Amino acid sequence: MPSIVFIQANGRQDVLDVPVGTTLMHAVVAAGLDGIVGECGGSAMCATCHVYVGQD
Ligand code: FES
């Protein structure tokens, strides 16, 4: 199971073990982390998921 490091704008880091096939939005919402609301359920219409993916 992949471990994903979520880095907030304030530098806080949270590491989640995310099953393969799970979206980042669903993983964050299920874990109750701040920063991603997921209002449209992942349809890419509300822009409440706004992430930057690092090169690594
Ligand atoms: S839930 Fe991701 S853009 Fe709406």
Side-chain angles (χ1 to χ4, degrees):
M1 183 179 311
S3 293
I4 309 293
V5 180
F6 294 90
I7 304 172
Q8 300 285 341
N10 65 6
R12 176 185 161 161
Q13 296 188 17
D14 295 289
V15 180
L16 299 179
D17 293 327
V18 179
V20 172
T22 303
T23 68
L24 297 178
M25 181 276 289
H26 284 120
V28 168
V29 171
L33 300 185
D34 290 334
I36 294 180
V37 179
E39 286 186 355
C40 73
S43 300
M45 297 182 69
C46 68
T48 59
C49 309
H50 199 127
V51 300
Y52 296 91
V53 179
Q55 289 289 330
D56 299 340

